[in-house]
Each structure stands twice: as C-alpha cells, then as structure tokens.
C-alpha cells in the first residue's frame, strides 16, 4: 500500500502540471521543480534512510516515513503558491525516502530463501511499476472531478490506513551491527545531485555557457570528486565503493537511471503534448495513458516470476528494446499524429517498464550480505529517483530550449530531440542488460559479496588474515 501511495502520487502530479501552472501562474521550470523537488530530496536521502532503518529498526523508520509523507501531502493540498508547493513536495520526499529502502530491507529479511525473496521482490517491484503507470490515470480522474489538490488529499486516508496496517503486520527488525552515520558523505552527495539538477533546469533561462551555469556544474563535479575520495577512506562509508565491483549491481544501477530517465521524460513530454499542444482535458489525457498502466499490470508480475525462475537477463533486454521502440514511435510527433499510434507507443512503454522493475531490484540486492540489505536496496532506489530527476530536468530543458511559436505546433516539434534522447536511454538498458547479466558478470557478484563479508581496517581496506 505504501508503494502504491508513493508511486501513484509521483506520476499523478505529471498529469496535473498544466492545471498547477494555470492555478499558481508558474513557468515550465517551475513545473520541473514541482516534480524534481520531490525526486531530488528522495534520491538524496535514500541511502541515509536505509542506514537509519538498519540502526534504529526498519518498522520504526518506515512508520516515521509514512507519517511525514502523509503530512507533506496535506501541505501540498493547501499550498497557496509555487514556492510553498515545492517545499511541501520536498517534505514528501523526506517521508518517501524513509519508506522505499526500508520496505525492501523488510522484504529481504522476512523472505530469507532465494526463490521466495525473488518472488516477493517481483511483487514489490510490480506494485511500484503499476502504481507509477496508474498515476496519470488516477490524476486525470481526480482532476476531472475536482482539482489538482485532490491528488494530494487522496494520500491522507491511504497513508493513515498504511500506518495502521504496518503497526499490525510488519515485524520489527534491524541490522546486527549498526553502521556509523556519514554526514560529510551525505552533504557531498546532496550538493552533487542538487547542483546537477539545478544547472540543467535553469540553463535554458540563464544560458548553458553562462558563468552561473558553469559554476554550478563545476561545484557539482567538485562535490562528486570529494564524495568518492572521502568514501574510499571510510571504514563504514555512506555507499561502499566495493558494491560497484559487482557487475550486476553496477549494471542494475545504470539501468535504473537510464530506464527511469526514459519513463519520467516520456510522461513529462506526453503531458505537455496532450494538454498544451492538443488542448485535451486532464481527464482525457489521463485516460489515454491507460495502456501504460494495463500493460505494466500484465508485464510486471510475469517479469518477476521469470526472474525468480530464470534470472534477469531476458526481462532487462526485452525492457530496453521496448523502451527504445516506444520513444522511436514518437520521434516524428506532430499535432496530427494518429491517436492509434499514441496508444501503441503507450502500450509498448508499459510492457517495457513493467518488465524492467523486478530484475533491477532483484539484481541490486542479490548476493549482498543481509546486514547491508538496507543500503544496497537504497542504492537501487536512489538510482531510480536520480533517473526520474534527470529525466524531467534534461527533457524539460531540451523542450524549453527548442520550443518556438504557438504550443500546438511548437511543442511537438521541440519534443523530437527529447524522444531521440529517450531512444538512447532504452538502448543503454538493452546493452547494459546484455553485458552485466551473463555468467562472468554474475561471478563478480559472488566475489563482491565475499569481500564485503571480510573484516576491514580503519581505512576500509580488507584486513590481512
């Protein structure tokens, strides 16, 4: 239920963007921040939240996250201005960060047998994928009946119900050895993600080569370098660099980023096209995207079962191919594009996205020690949120930079470059799936798990025995 809550809210807001723009009198960059203030906060805090769950108890942290998310939803529903809405969305992101990795860690610790865990992860991933695909439909229905504020009011009773069910059914668990906090690494990570996102969103307005844009990019790069150097020296880093010696783990991370750039960019451009260029109502736009939800509902559980029985290679390669095809179908988008072509592209996207989630999640946590389940799951979830953040930032900036003339003709033409970027994202998932899920790649995961189990010195280097 918590996954449905977060996923539906996340993508339902996409369909509400034109209504928010009209009501709060904001620009396209303001719309980008409405989405990215949530995903950026979520991505920045997921690793910390995973560590908090391992230290203080997953059930306690999960309940705290649910409470914060519900409170943030109330603030969003009554927001009188864009600044207030962006701040409230960030508050939602804090709560969401405390829910995602902790939920995965709970699953990992409750389902200890490999096949059972893979099936449970498949259900978890399918629920997340389905909820995100259902978001535009739910958002369209709520906007048609009430207003964009109803999207956030819906979270309140669902959040309260999830809190009650968690108290009744979720057991208490924590890691046997608590990890130390890493405030320096946390701050450097936030500076990197916030810097890159801010520079990309604001660059079309202040100039890509302006001193401001280049300075922010340089600051973000310095934060990234500082983060890596600092984490390599810590005994208990925020993100253990040794995780990435596992090719499946690294592949899952990169595939999550690429796949969610494709999804968020697709939904962002599609919302602007249907409502701004074609003038459709939010309800009609939401209902038109129903094939995404239906296809994801059908593909997600089947992908999870396949991963449990045969491994992730087939689903991730299929997902990459379909994500590329769905974007390729819209590279010639115009005001007269047939509705049948749109529906076909949506269905292809839904199958690809539904197939992608279970293998990514299962691959990220497979082979990792159970004591580090929270952090490993958090890295996978962070990758998704980074992808969503970059998708909205990059694609939105590309469309804004290229849009000229009236919305009916200017937006479709400006979106062509964006669709080609998404084709590349799908192909990246396909190639990464091919390279990081073979027998030799899987062997690196076993070696990584063994290294993670070794005692370390104060510098994080495995101790001699």
């Amino acid at each position: 239920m918590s996954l449905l809550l977060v996923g539906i809210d996340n993508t339902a807001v996409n369909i509400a963007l034109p209504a928010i723009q009209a009501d709060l009198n904001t620009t396209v960059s303001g719309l980008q921040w409405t989405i990215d203030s949530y995903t950026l906060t979520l991505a920045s805090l997921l690793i910390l939240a995973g560590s908090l769950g391992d230290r203080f108890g997953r059930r306690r942290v999960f309940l705290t996250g649910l409470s914060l998310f519900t409170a943030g939803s109330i603030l969003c529903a009554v927001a009188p201005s864009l600044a207030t809405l962006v701040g409230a969305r960030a508050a939602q992101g804090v709560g969401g960060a405390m829910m995602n990795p902790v939920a995965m860690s709970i699953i990992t610790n409750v389902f200890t047998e490999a096949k059972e865990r893979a099936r449970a992860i498949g259900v978890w991933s399918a629920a997340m994928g389905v909820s995100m695909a259902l978001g535009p439909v739910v958002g369209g229905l709520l906007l048609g009946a009430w207003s964009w504020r109803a999207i956030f009011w819906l979270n309140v009773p669902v959040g309260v119900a999830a809190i009650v069910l968690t108290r009744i059914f979720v057991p208490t668990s924590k890691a046997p050895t608590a990890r130390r906090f890493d405030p320096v690494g946390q701050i450097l990570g936030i500076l990197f993600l916030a810097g890159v996102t801010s520079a990309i969103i604001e660059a079309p307005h202040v100039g890509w080569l302006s001193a401001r844009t280049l300075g922010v990019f340089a600051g973000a790069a310095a934060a990234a370098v500082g983060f890596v150097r600092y984490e390599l020296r810590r005994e208990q880093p925020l993100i253990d660099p040794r995780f990435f010696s596992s090719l499946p783990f690294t592949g899952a991370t990169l595939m999550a980023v690429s796949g969610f750039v494709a999804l968020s960019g697709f939904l962002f451009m599609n919302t602007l096209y249907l409502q701004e260029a074609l003038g459709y109502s939010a309800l009609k736009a939401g209902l038109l995207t129903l094939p995404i939800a239906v296809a994801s509902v059908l593909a997600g559980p089947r992908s999870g079962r396949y991963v449990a029985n045969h491994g992730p290679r087939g689903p991730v390669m299929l997902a990459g191919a379909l994500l590329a095809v769905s974007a390729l179908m819209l590279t010639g988008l115009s005001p007269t594009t047939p509705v049948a072509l749109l529906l076909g592209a949506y269905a292809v996207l839904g199958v690809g996205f539904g197939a992608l989630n279970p293998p990514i999640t299962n691959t990220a946590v497979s082979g990792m020690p159970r004591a580090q389940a929270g952090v490993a799951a958090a890295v996978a979830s962070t990758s998704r949120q980074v992808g969503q953040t970059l998708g909205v930032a990059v694609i939105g900036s590309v469309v804004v930079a290229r849009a000229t003339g009236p919305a009916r003709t200017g937006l479709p033409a400006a979106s062509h470059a964006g669709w080609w970027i998404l084709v590349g994202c799908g192909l990246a998932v396909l190639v990464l799936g091919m390279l990081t899920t073979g027998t030799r790649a899987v062997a690196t995961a076993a070696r990584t798990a063994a290294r993670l189990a070794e005692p370390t010195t104060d510098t994080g280097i495995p101790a001699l025995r």
Side-chain angles (χ1 to χ4, degrees), residues 56-410:
F56 295 112
R58 287 137 189 159
R59 181 174 179 266
R60 178 186 297 179
V61 172
F62 187 75
L63 284 169
T64 303
L66 272 171
S67 300
L68 287 174
F69 186 88
T70 304
S73 297
I74 296 174
L75 294 176
C76 289
V78 300
S81 65
L82 176 69
T84 306
L85 178 61
V86 169
R89 289 283 286 163
Q92 277 189 308
V94 175
M98 300 176 79
M99 292 158 59
N100 271 7
V102 177
M104 174 54 60
S105 190
I106 290 171
I107 290 173
T108 304
N109 281 271
V110 170
F111 297 93
T112 57
E113 197 274 323
K115 280 199 171 184
E116 287 182 352
R117 184 171 60 244
R119 292 190 184 97
I121 290 173
V123 172
W124 182 90
S125 302
M128 182 180 65
V130 168
S131 66
M132 294 186 68
L134 278 174
V137 179
V138 174
L141 291 172
L142 291 174
L143 277 162
W146 294 284
S147 75
W148 62 267
R149 298 180 188 274
I151 293 171
F152 300 108
W153 282 121
L154 178 64
N155 294 338
V156 178
V158 178
V160 171
I163 291 171
V164 173
L165 291 173
T166 300
R167 288 188 177 277
I168 295 173
F169 294 109
V170 174
T172 299
S173 67
K174 61 173 65 174
T177 303
R179 302 175 69 250
R180 297 176 186 171
F181 291 121
D182 184 4
V184 175
Q186 184 68 62
I187 292 171
L188 289 172
I190 292 174
L191 289 175
F192 167 67
L193 291 175
V196 170
T197 303
S198 175
I200 292 173
I201 289 178
E202 300 300 331
H205 309 287
V206 300
W208 285 96
L209 297 179
S210 67
R212 175 179 167 181
T213 300
L214 294 177
V216 175
F217 272 129
V225 172
F227 179 86
V228 173
R229 290 173 63 89
Y230 181 77
E231 294 301 294
L232 285 172
R233 298 173 60 185
R234 279 185 59 85
E235 180 182 357
Q236 293 182 344
L238 186 69
I239 301 176
D240 194 327
R242 293 179 297 169
F243 280 9
F244 295 94
S245 62
S246 165
L247 288 180
F249 182 87
T250 302
T253 301
L254 295 176
M255 285 187 287
V257 172
S258 300
F260 276 74
V261 166
L263 175 71
S264 62
F266 193 110
L267 293 178
F268 190 82
M269 285 195 293
N270 184 67
T271 294
L272 295 179
Y273 172 72
L274 292 179
Q275 295 187 60
E276 296 292 313
L278 300 187
Y280 290 171
S281 68
L283 176 59
K284 184 174 182 179
L287 291 175
L288 275 175
T289 63
L290 191 59
I292 300 177
V294 173
S296 185
V297 167
L298 295 175
R302 288 169 172 78
S303 176
R305 288 195 295 270
Y306 187 94
V307 171
N309 295 316
H310 306 288
R313 188 178 181 85
V316 293
M317 292 179 63
L318 174 66
L322 292 180
L323 290 175
V325 170
S326 67
L328 186 63
M329 295 171 69
L330 300 180
T331 51
L333 198 66
S334 74
T336 58
T337 297
V339 173
L341 179 63
L342 296 177
L343 295 176
Y346 300 160
V348 173
L349 173 69
V351 175
F353 183 63
L356 180 64
N357 267 300
I360 282 180
T361 307
N362 188 69
T363 301
V365 301
S366 293
M368 295 296 175
R370 287 175 59 192
Q372 304 218 38
V375 179
V379 174
S381 295
T382 298
S383 303
R384 289 183 171 89
Q385 300 306 324
V386 169
Q388 288 193 67
T389 302
L390 292 178
V392 172
V394 172
I395 301 303
S397 295
V398 167
V399 172
V400 169
R402 299 175 66 90
T404 56
R408 177 169 176 79
T409 55

